[in-house]
Every structure is written in structure tokens, then in C-alpha cells.
Amino acid sequence: MLHGTRSGTVLAGLNGLSRGLAADLAVPGRSDRMSSITRELGVFCACLLAAIPGQGQSRSRTADKERRGDPAEPVLILHALCPEPTTVVQTSGRSCERVITRADFDNLIAALDPNMPESNRLILATEYTKLVVLSHEAERLKLDQEPAFKRLVEFTRLQLLERQLVRALEAEASSISAAEVTQYYREHPSSFEEGSFLRLYIPKEGKWSVPEQAQTIQQRAAAAENFDKLQQEIWAAQGRPSGAPSTQMGTVRRSNLPEGLQKIFDLKPGEVSALIADTGGYYVYRMESKKVIPQELATSEIRTLMGNLRLQDRVSKLRSAVMVSVNEDYFGMLPSTEELAKHHGLEHSGSHVMPMTDQEKKQH
């Protein structure tokens, strides 16, 4: 059993788990279900790293001090975890016990998420206990000796190593000086321009399918006619007396707009753009206001952006340094470089991924 006034959630979870596990093992043909469960545990562990939700309230400082006790003090005790399953929970003695100490659990938290809120400890304890119980049964069934399990261990090890490397590289990339922030801000002034716009949308339908007709709307907008009334007129001409789109575009960043549309930031407040066409219609923009975000308000954003760019660059260099020959007899014909970049994340300079030659097939 679990001890403590806040153990009800964990105990309830374990009772439900025990009942479900016993039911599975009692039904003929259900032993293969354990194999499925163990395969899912690896996926669960990966999800657990990012999916434990924040719950509960922060404890007081006094309570925090009380929690910092002897590292060897037990925080979880799993009873009746015997080599053979039993329906009798031992209430005395230490037979078949597994003890998780404060140090054990603190180290687990540090490995999973050093910033995990204290309120999530009980959630983690519930899930960790479930893993221990199910993995114990999997070992009893010798599922850990199957070749498929060993392959999964190897693959999971690679995933964990990648995760640890990214953590280390993130820490390295996040070391950005104030001078570097200032330099980035000066070199990318357009990234910190914000503007507020009104927008007209003219579908290429009916009378507006003719560019000259759409141009008349642009001219009226440039002559300071009301954008809302113009938009309603455009919609009414399509036989739609209601449901016209809003002309309020709100505040946007120049850097967040498609490259071809960023030119509207060259307008002055009150100015109206030329007619801008796309496949479905025409647009007309009027700038309402424009400002540049001060560096002191953009510092946090710049640090995050620079850190992400450095991390991406580091990972890209590591990956692009390794050429990969692919056996097309096995995988099928390789897609083009553009398709690889879009669908497979293999966008690197040069022929990073290339078909395996017949000589390579014979040599290996």
C-alpha cells in the first residue's frame, strides 16, 4: 500500500490497475496482451516526458522545507511485487517489496524534467508505479528476452540520446550576450515593424472578374471612401447581401507576412495600396498606423529566436556532414531533393541522400 494523506489517487490507480491486470491474466489467450502492453510502454515513456499536465496549487515555503528530508527516506513502497503473481497483499514483513527513496524519485524528476512543478509529483508517481508493475510482469513472462524487445531497447536508446543532445545544444545555443541581441536588432529592423491595416477583398467573380472593374474599387478606396461600405457593396454585387468579410486586419508584423505582401509596410499611414492579385481575387490595403517595437521589449523574443536559429544550424551541420546511400530496391525510388526537404526533413546542401550504387550493394 501507499502511505500518506495524499496517497488516495495513487492507491486508487493501483487498485484499478491490479484488477485489470488480474482480469487479463485470468482469461485464456490474454497473455499475448502483455506483449502489446510492453510495446506501448516505450511510447508512453516518451509521451510522459511532455504530457504531464500542471495541476494543483504551489505549496508554502514551510511545506517545501519539510519535504527536503533524508535522501534515503522511502517515498513509494510497492508491496507484493513477487516473482510469481499473488492475490494476497502482504501487510507485514518486507517480502517482495520494492522501495523508491526520495533520492530515487528526485533523480527521476531531474532526468525527465528538471522544471517539473511539485504538484505533478503524485501524477508521476502513479504513472511510474504502473510502469514498474507492468514491466515486472513482462519480465516474469520473459518478454525482455525476445529479439523484438532488444531492437526496441536499441531504438529507444537512440531516441533518448538525441533528446539529451538537443538539451545540451539548447543550453549552449541559449548563451546570448546583450551585445549580440543589440546587433541582431540593428541588422533586422524590419522584423520588429508592426502595422495596423484595413483590407478589401474582391473575388474574381461576376463583374469583378474583369480587372478594370476591380481597379475602380481601388481608386474609390484611394479617394478615402469607407472600406466597410465598399466591402458590403462588393458582396452585394455577388448576390450576397450579408456575410461580407471584416475589413479589420488588425496589427501584424512585416516579417510574418508572405514576402510578396510585405511591401504594404512601405505605405504611410492613410495611404492605400495598388490592386494586389492572387489566384482567387484581388486585395486592397490601407495602412492605419505603423511602429517599431523597442529593443527592450524585443529582447526576450530575440534571445529565443537566436537560440532556435543556432540550434537548427548546429543540428543541420551535424546531419549534412553524413551522406546516406539508400537502396532503392528496398525503399523504392527516392523522391526529388525538393520533395525530401518538404516531406522527409532531409533538406541539406548537396546530395545528402543518394541512391546506392550496385558496387556498394555488393561490397556490403
Side-chain angles (χ1 to χ4, degrees):
M1 59 182 292
L2 294 174
H3 302 284
T5 59
R6 287 179 290 275
S7 63
T9 303
V10 177
L11 184 58
L14 289 178
N15 287 338
L17 172 63
S18 300
R19 289 194 297 271
L21 184 58
D24 280 339
L25 295 176
V27 178
R30 286 290 180 89
S31 62
D32 60 338
R33 179 171 153 78
M34 296 307 301
S35 178
S36 174
I37 291 174
T38 56
R39 286 196 299 270
E40 294 171 358
L41 290 181
V43 177
F44 168 79
C45 288
C47 293
L48 181 62
L49 300 179
I52 298 177
Q55 295 183 11
Q57 301 295 324
S58 300
R59 303 181 185 279
S60 67
R61 293 183 179 179
T62 302
D64 287 340
K65 292 180 179 179
E66 292 176 353
R67 294 290 297 262
R68 302 191 192 104
D70 182 1
E73 177 188 0
V75 294
L76 293 171
I77 301 177
L78 279 68
H79 302 273
L81 202 63
C82 302
E84 294 298 327
T86 177
T87 57
V88 179
V89 177
Q90 307 241 349
T91 57
S92 63
R94 298 187 177 181
S95 176
C96 306
E97 283 186 351
R98 179 174 297 189
V99 178
I100 293 89
T101 67
R102 181 189 300 271
D104 293 332
F105 207 75
D106 284 346
N107 290 335
L108 175 63
I109 291 174
L112 291 175
D113 180 6
N115 299 316
M116 181 184 294
E118 185 178 340
S119 57
N120 284 343
R121 288 180 178 178
L122 191 58
I123 300 172
L124 175 60
T126 303
E127 300 299 341
Y128 177 71
T129 304
K130 179 172 67 175
L131 287 175
V132 172
V133 172
L134 293 182
S135 63
H136 176 79
E137 177 63 14
E139 290 173 344
R140 190 187 70 80
L141 297 173
K142 302 188 185 313
L143 300 181
D144 57 327
Q145 300 178 21
E146 295 182 354
F149 177 79
K150 295 178 181 179
R151 300 288 85 76
L152 288 173
V153 169
E154 292 176 3
F155 187 77
T156 302
R157 178 178 178 274
L158 294 176
Q159 290 179 312
L160 291 175
L161 282 173
E162 178 197 27
R163 175 174 167 265
Q164 293 302 98
L165 174 64
V166 169
R167 274 187 176 182
L169 294 180
E170 282 178 339
E172 177 185 308
S174 64
S175 179
I176 299 167
S177 68
E180 289 174 316
V181 170
T182 298
Q183 181 180 354
Y184 186 93
Y185 182 81
R186 290 174 178 173
E187 293 177 352
H188 302 82
S190 63
S191 296
F192 305 100
E193 284 185 285
E194 280 188 347
S196 177
F197 295 87
L198 294 180
R199 175 178 58 190
L200 289 175
Y201 173 55
I202 311 170
K204 290 181 179 179
E205 300 175 5
K207 63 180 293 187
W208 310 118
S209 61
V210 181
E212 289 75 17
Q213 290 293 334
Q215 187 62 47
T216 63
I217 293 293
Q218 188 278 337
Q219 293 170 353
R220 292 169 62 185
E225 285 200 37
N226 184 280
F227 265 52
D228 287 332
K229 291 182 178 180
L230 286 173
Q231 188 65 73
Q232 291 170 3
E233 180 182 328
I234 293 167
W235 235 237
Q238 303 290 333
R240 295 177 283 188
S242 61
S246 173
T247 61
Q248 297 290 332
M249 189 176 173
T251 301
V252 296
R253 288 273 193 97
R254 179 195 285 262
S255 57
N256 291 340
L257 293 175
E259 186 173 351
L261 193 56
Q262 292 183 12
K263 59 187 178 183
I264 65 174
F265 266 85
D266 298 332
L267 298 170
K268 296 178 181 179
E271 286 188 336
V272 174
S273 72
L275 206 62
I276 299 175
D278 71 3
T279 54
Y282 304 94
Y283 293 90
V284 178
Y285 296 86
R286 185 174 78 189
M287 173 173 280
E288 298 292 278
S289 63
K290 180 169 63 173
K291 68 176 182 178
V292 177
I293 300 173
Q295 180 182 331
E296 55 269 23
L297 298 181
T299 296
S300 177
E301 176 186 339
I302 293 173
R303 290 184 183 277
T304 299
L305 180 59
M306 290 185 68
N308 290 339
L309 290 174
R310 288 182 178 182
L311 176 62
Q312 292 171 11
D313 181 64
R314 185 79 168 87
V315 172
S316 179
K317 286 179 179 178
L318 287 171
R319 293 183 62 192
S320 61
V322 178
M323 307 300 290
V324 180
S325 296
V326 177
N327 190 330
E328 293 184 311
D329 295 338
Y330 181 84
F331 291 101
M333 185 175 296
L334 286 173
S336 67
T337 302
E338 292 75 18
E339 289 173 322
L340 282 173
K342 184 176 180 181
H343 300 293
H344 302 288
L346 299 173
E347 65 286 7
H348 299 292
S349 58
S351 181
H352 173 247
V353 179
M354 55 190 176
M356 187 180 296
T357 65
D358 291 336
Q359 184 177 2
E360 284 178 314
K361 296 175 186 177
K362 293 176 182 179
Q363 287 178 341
H364 298 278

